[in-house]
Amino acid sequence: MTGVLLGIARHPRSRAPVELVERVEVTLDGGIHGDFRGAMRGKPYKRQITLIERGDWDAAMAEVGHRIAWQERRANLLVDGIDLPQVPGTLVKIGGSLMLEITRECDPCERMEALAEGLRAAMTPDWRGGACAMVIQGGWIAVGDEIRIEES
């Protein structure tokens, strides 16, 4: 089961504008370089990186009748061609070396309502809001990299 990394987004602080990048380093301690959520604060920290499936975002957009860019979800990684397992502990490999562990569902917050009325509800079923993950092994990633689910 393989997919592709379609987008990488980061923001330097809470509520800061989102920046799209083509390639970035991801580390154990810092997560996505330049993203404020990457630094692990508190224990246990389960939201170092967030992933969302393109199909889930498109379905939510269709439900609310809008066309909003995926990065407005404020997720870090947009993936396609793969169904992210809704099972904490699942390992996801991106590119040649990055290994992430799914920790939990990424619940949509009230900020989604500011984007489009009904968006928070549209993102609630079936982990449509995405998945949170922790870095298990760092590395460089780039748009176009292969993504695969690893046997745990």
Side-chain angles (χ1 to χ4, degrees):
M1 178 183 222
T2 63
V4 64
L5 180 61
L6 291 182
I8 304 169
R10 63 186 181 186
H11 45 293
R13 63 189 181 287
S14 180
R15 303 195 184 277
V18 175
E19 174 189 22
L20 293 176
V21 295
E22 292 292 313
R23 185 173 186 267
V24 71
E25 184 178 20
V26 183
T27 63
L28 286 167
D29 294 333
I32 292 176
H33 178 72
D35 188 74
F36 88 104
R37 285 202 187 276
M40 301 199 17
R41 299 176 191 95
K43 302 267 184 200
Y45 189 73
K46 298 184 178 202
R47 188 187 173 128
Q48 196 174 24
I49 293 178
T50 53
L51 303 94
I52 190 167
E53 296 172 35
R54 183 182 74 164
D56 286 344
W57 181 250
D58 290 349
M61 289 294 96
E63 196 169 310
V64 297
H66 285 275
R67 294 189 53 79
I68 300 169
W70 75 272
Q71 65 269 21
E72 295 304 315
R73 167 64 177 110
R74 304 185 75 76
N76 297 117
L77 305 177
L78 179 67
V79 304
D80 192 28
I82 193 165
D83 186 22
L84 294 170
Q86 299 171 357
V87 179
T90 300
L91 300 178
V92 178
K93 186 170 186 181
I94 303 176
S97 60
L98 180 66
M99 187 73 71
L100 303 177
E101 179 183 339
I102 301 292
T103 57
R104 66 181 175 94
E105 178 179 5
C106 187
D107 298 319
C109 67
E110 68 279 349
R111 294 187 72 182
M112 296 303 99
E113 285 303 296
L115 292 176
E117 185 177 337
L119 182 54
R120 186 176 189 183
M123 296 182 74
T124 301
D126 199 32
W127 285 43
R128 250 192 215 170
C132 296
M134 287 181 53
V135 179
I136 301 301
Q137 178 180 310
W140 283 86
I141 58 172
V143 171
D145 278 352
E146 181 181 88
I147 300 171
R148 46 177 206 278
I149 306 305
E150 295 287 305
E151 297 296 323
S152 48

Short mmCIF file of all heavy atoms in Angstrom, two decimals, residues 5-12 17-26 32-35 70-71 75-78 140-144:
data_model
loop_
_atom_site.label_atom_id
_atom_site.label_comp_id
_atom_site.label_asym_id
_atom_site.label_seq_id
_atom_site.Cartn_x
_atom_site.Cartn_y
_atom_site.Cartn_z
N LEU A 5 3.26 11.99 -1.26
CA LEU A 5 3.20 13.23 -0.49
C LEU A 5 2.92 14.36 -1.47
O LEU A 5 3.75 14.66 -2.34
CB LEU A 5 4.52 13.45 0.24
CG LEU A 5 4.63 14.70 1.09
CD1 LEU A 5 3.58 14.71 2.21
CD2 LEU A 5 6.03 14.82 1.68
N LEU A 6 1.74 14.98 -1.35
CA LEU A 6 1.36 16.06 -2.27
C LEU A 6 1.72 17.45 -1.78
O LEU A 6 1.83 18.38 -2.58
CB LEU A 6 -0.16 16.03 -2.51
CG LEU A 6 -0.72 14.87 -3.29
CD1 LEU A 6 -2.22 15.05 -3.48
CD2 LEU A 6 -0.04 14.72 -4.63
N GLY A 7 1.84 17.61 -0.45
CA GLY A 7 2.11 18.94 0.06
C GLY A 7 2.73 18.91 1.44
O GLY A 7 2.52 17.98 2.22
N ILE A 8 3.54 19.94 1.72
CA ILE A 8 4.18 20.12 3.03
C ILE A 8 3.88 21.55 3.47
O ILE A 8 4.13 22.50 2.71
CB ILE A 8 5.71 19.93 2.94
CG1 ILE A 8 6.06 18.57 2.35
CG2 ILE A 8 6.35 20.12 4.32
CD1 ILE A 8 7.53 18.42 1.99
N ALA A 9 3.36 21.71 4.68
CA ALA A 9 3.03 23.03 5.21
C ALA A 9 3.59 23.18 6.62
O ALA A 9 3.69 22.20 7.36
CB ALA A 9 1.52 23.23 5.21
N ARG A 10 3.93 24.40 6.96
CA ARG A 10 4.42 24.68 8.32
C ARG A 10 4.02 26.10 8.70
O ARG A 10 3.74 26.94 7.83
CB ARG A 10 5.92 24.49 8.39
CG ARG A 10 6.69 25.45 7.51
CD ARG A 10 8.16 25.14 7.50
NE ARG A 10 8.88 26.11 6.65
CZ ARG A 10 10.14 26.03 6.37
NH1 ARG A 10 10.88 25.04 6.86
NH2 ARG A 10 10.73 26.93 5.61
N HIS A 11 4.00 26.35 10.00
CA HIS A 11 3.77 27.71 10.48
C HIS A 11 4.63 27.93 11.73
O HIS A 11 4.69 27.06 12.60
CB HIS A 11 2.30 28.04 10.70
CG HIS A 11 1.49 26.99 11.39
ND1 HIS A 11 1.21 25.76 10.87
CD2 HIS A 11 0.90 27.02 12.59
CE1 HIS A 11 0.47 25.07 11.71
NE2 HIS A 11 0.28 25.80 12.77
N PRO A 12 5.32 29.07 11.79
CA PRO A 12 6.32 29.29 12.84
C PRO A 12 5.76 29.50 14.24
O PRO A 12 6.47 29.36 15.22
CB PRO A 12 7.07 30.53 12.36
CG PRO A 12 6.10 31.25 11.49
CD PRO A 12 5.27 30.18 10.85
N PRO A 17 0.57 32.71 9.57
CA PRO A 17 0.26 32.24 8.22
C PRO A 17 1.00 30.93 7.92
O PRO A 17 2.11 30.70 8.40
CB PRO A 17 0.78 33.36 7.31
CG PRO A 17 0.86 34.56 8.18
CD PRO A 17 1.15 34.06 9.57
N VAL A 18 0.37 30.09 7.13
CA VAL A 18 0.94 28.81 6.75
C VAL A 18 1.85 29.01 5.54
O VAL A 18 1.51 29.72 4.61
CB VAL A 18 -0.18 27.80 6.42
CG1 VAL A 18 0.40 26.50 5.92
CG2 VAL A 18 -1.06 27.56 7.64
N GLU A 19 3.00 28.38 5.59
CA GLU A 19 3.97 28.43 4.50
C GLU A 19 4.05 27.05 3.85
O GLU A 19 4.21 26.04 4.54
CB GLU A 19 5.34 28.82 5.05
CG GLU A 19 6.44 28.76 4.04
CD GLU A 19 7.83 28.93 4.65
OE1 GLU A 19 8.02 28.69 5.85
OE2 GLU A 19 8.73 29.29 3.87
N LEU A 20 3.94 27.00 2.54
CA LEU A 20 4.13 25.76 1.80
C LEU A 20 5.59 25.65 1.39
O LEU A 20 6.19 26.63 0.96
CB LEU A 20 3.25 25.73 0.55
CG LEU A 20 1.75 25.69 0.78
CD1 LEU A 20 1.00 25.77 -0.54
CD2 LEU A 20 1.37 24.43 1.55
N VAL A 21 6.16 24.44 1.55
CA VAL A 21 7.54 24.21 1.14
C VAL A 21 7.59 22.95 0.29
O VAL A 21 6.71 22.07 0.40
CB VAL A 21 8.49 24.09 2.36
CG1 VAL A 21 8.56 25.41 3.12
CG2 VAL A 21 8.08 22.96 3.29
N GLU A 22 8.59 22.86 -0.56
CA GLU A 22 8.75 21.70 -1.45
C GLU A 22 9.57 20.60 -0.80
O GLU A 22 9.40 19.43 -1.13
CB GLU A 22 9.41 22.13 -2.76
CG GLU A 22 8.54 23.01 -3.63
CD GLU A 22 7.34 22.25 -4.18
OE1 GLU A 22 7.52 21.12 -4.68
OE2 GLU A 22 6.22 22.79 -4.11
N ARG A 23 10.46 20.97 0.10
CA ARG A 23 11.39 20.02 0.72
C ARG A 23 11.73 20.55 2.10
O ARG A 23 11.89 21.76 2.28
CB ARG A 23 12.64 19.93 -0.15
CG ARG A 23 13.64 18.92 0.28
CD ARG A 23 14.76 18.83 -0.79
NE ARG A 23 15.68 17.76 -0.47
CZ ARG A 23 16.79 17.91 0.24
NH1 ARG A 23 17.14 19.10 0.69
NH2 ARG A 23 17.56 16.87 0.50
N VAL A 24 11.87 19.62 3.07
CA VAL A 24 12.16 20.07 4.44
C VAL A 24 12.79 18.94 5.24
O VAL A 24 12.56 17.76 4.96
CB VAL A 24 10.88 20.59 5.13
CG1 VAL A 24 9.93 19.45 5.47
CG2 VAL A 24 11.19 21.42 6.35
N GLU A 25 13.58 19.32 6.23
CA GLU A 25 14.14 18.34 7.15
C GLU A 25 13.17 18.13 8.30
O GLU A 25 12.54 19.07 8.80
CB GLU A 25 15.49 18.82 7.70
CG GLU A 25 16.15 17.80 8.60
CD GLU A 25 17.50 18.23 9.12
OE1 GLU A 25 17.79 19.45 9.12
OE2 GLU A 25 18.26 17.35 9.55
N VAL A 26 13.06 16.89 8.74
CA VAL A 26 12.20 16.53 9.87
C VAL A 26 13.08 15.80 10.89
O VAL A 26 13.80 14.85 10.53
CB VAL A 26 11.04 15.61 9.42
CG1 VAL A 26 10.12 15.29 10.59
CG2 VAL A 26 10.26 16.25 8.27
N ILE A 32 8.92 19.03 11.88
CA ILE A 32 9.18 19.71 10.60
C ILE A 32 9.91 21.01 10.89
O ILE A 32 9.43 21.84 11.65
CB ILE A 32 7.86 19.97 9.85
CG1 ILE A 32 7.25 18.64 9.40
CG2 ILE A 32 8.09 20.91 8.66
CD1 ILE A 32 5.91 18.77 8.73
N HIS A 33 11.09 21.15 10.28
CA HIS A 33 11.90 22.35 10.51
C HIS A 33 11.07 23.60 10.21
O HIS A 33 10.50 23.73 9.13
CB HIS A 33 13.16 22.32 9.65
CG HIS A 33 14.00 23.54 9.81
ND1 HIS A 33 14.74 23.78 10.94
CD2 HIS A 33 14.18 24.60 9.00
CE1 HIS A 33 15.35 24.94 10.81
NE2 HIS A 33 15.03 25.45 9.64
N GLY A 34 11.01 24.51 11.18
CA GLY A 34 10.27 25.76 11.00
C GLY A 34 8.82 25.71 11.43
O GLY A 34 8.12 26.71 11.36
N ASP A 35 8.34 24.55 11.91
CA ASP A 35 6.95 24.44 12.36
C ASP A 35 6.92 24.45 13.89
O ASP A 35 7.63 23.67 14.53
CB ASP A 35 6.30 23.16 11.84
CG ASP A 35 4.81 23.13 12.14
OD1 ASP A 35 4.07 23.87 11.47
OD2 ASP A 35 4.41 22.40 13.06
N TRP A 70 -6.02 23.21 0.91
CA TRP A 70 -5.83 22.23 1.98
C TRP A 70 -5.03 22.78 3.16
O TRP A 70 -5.29 22.43 4.31
CB TRP A 70 -5.15 20.96 1.45
CG TRP A 70 -3.69 21.14 1.19
CD1 TRP A 70 -3.11 21.58 0.03
CD2 TRP A 70 -2.62 20.91 2.10
NE1 TRP A 70 -1.74 21.64 0.17
CE2 TRP A 70 -1.41 21.23 1.44
CE3 TRP A 70 -2.54 20.47 3.43
CZ2 TRP A 70 -0.16 21.13 2.04
CZ3 TRP A 70 -1.29 20.37 4.03
CH2 TRP A 70 -0.12 20.69 3.34
N GLN A 71 -4.07 23.64 2.89
CA GLN A 71 -3.21 24.12 3.98
C GLN A 71 -3.98 24.99 4.99
O GLN A 71 -3.53 25.18 6.11
CB GLN A 71 -1.98 24.85 3.45
CG GLN A 71 -2.24 26.12 2.71
CD GLN A 71 -2.41 25.93 1.22
OE1 GLN A 71 -2.70 24.84 0.74
NE2 GLN A 71 -2.23 26.99 0.47
N ALA A 75 -2.89 21.48 8.60
CA ALA A 75 -2.18 20.20 8.71
C ALA A 75 -0.81 20.38 8.09
O ALA A 75 -0.60 21.29 7.28
CB ALA A 75 -2.96 19.09 8.01
N ASN A 76 0.13 19.52 8.45
CA ASN A 76 1.48 19.62 7.92
C ASN A 76 1.68 18.91 6.59
O ASN A 76 2.42 19.40 5.73
CB ASN A 76 2.51 19.05 8.91
CG ASN A 76 2.57 19.81 10.20
OD1 ASN A 76 2.27 19.24 11.25
ND2 ASN A 76 2.93 21.07 10.16
N LEU A 77 1.07 17.74 6.45
CA LEU A 77 1.33 16.93 5.27
C LEU A 77 0.04 16.53 4.58
O LEU A 77 -0.89 16.03 5.23
CB LEU A 77 2.10 15.66 5.65
CG LEU A 77 3.42 15.87 6.42
CD1 LEU A 77 4.03 14.54 6.80
CD2 LEU A 77 4.39 16.73 5.63
N LEU A 78 -0.03 16.74 3.28
CA LEU A 78 -1.16 16.31 2.46
C LEU A 78 -0.72 15.05 1.72
O LEU A 78 0.28 15.07 1.00
CB LEU A 78 -1.54 17.40 1.46
CG LEU A 78 -2.70 17.06 0.52
CD1 LEU A 78 -4.01 16.92 1.29
CD2 LEU A 78 -2.82 18.12 -0.57
N TRP A 140 14.91 13.85 5.52
CA TRP A 140 14.43 14.88 4.60
C TRP A 140 13.24 14.32 3.82
O TRP A 140 13.27 13.15 3.42
CB TRP A 140 15.54 15.29 3.63
CG TRP A 140 16.54 16.19 4.26
CD1 TRP A 140 17.64 15.83 4.98
CD2 TRP A 140 16.52 17.62 4.22
NE1 TRP A 140 18.32 16.95 5.40
CE2 TRP A 140 17.65 18.06 4.96
CE3 TRP A 140 15.67 18.56 3.67
CZ2 TRP A 140 17.94 19.40 5.13
CZ3 TRP A 140 15.96 19.90 3.83
CH2 TRP A 140 17.09 20.32 4.56
N ILE A 141 12.24 15.16 3.59
CA ILE A 141 11.11 14.77 2.75
C ILE A 141 10.89 15.85 1.70
O ILE A 141 11.27 17.01 1.89
CB ILE A 141 9.81 14.54 3.56
CG1 ILE A 141 9.42 15.80 4.36
CG2 ILE A 141 9.96 13.32 4.45
CD1 ILE A 141 8.05 15.71 5.02
N ALA A 142 10.24 15.45 0.61
CA ALA A 142 9.95 16.39 -0.48
C ALA A 142 8.61 16.02 -1.09
O ALA A 142 8.20 14.85 -1.08
CB ALA A 142 11.04 16.33 -1.54
N VAL A 143 7.95 17.04 -1.62
CA VAL A 143 6.71 16.80 -2.35
C VAL A 143 7.01 15.79 -3.46
O VAL A 143 8.04 15.89 -4.14
CB VAL A 143 6.17 18.12 -2.93
CG1 VAL A 143 5.00 17.88 -3.89
CG2 VAL A 143 5.75 19.07 -1.80
N GLY A 144 6.15 14.80 -3.60
CA GLY A 144 6.35 13.73 -4.57
C GLY A 144 6.92 12.46 -3.98
O GLY A 144 6.92 11.42 -4.65
#
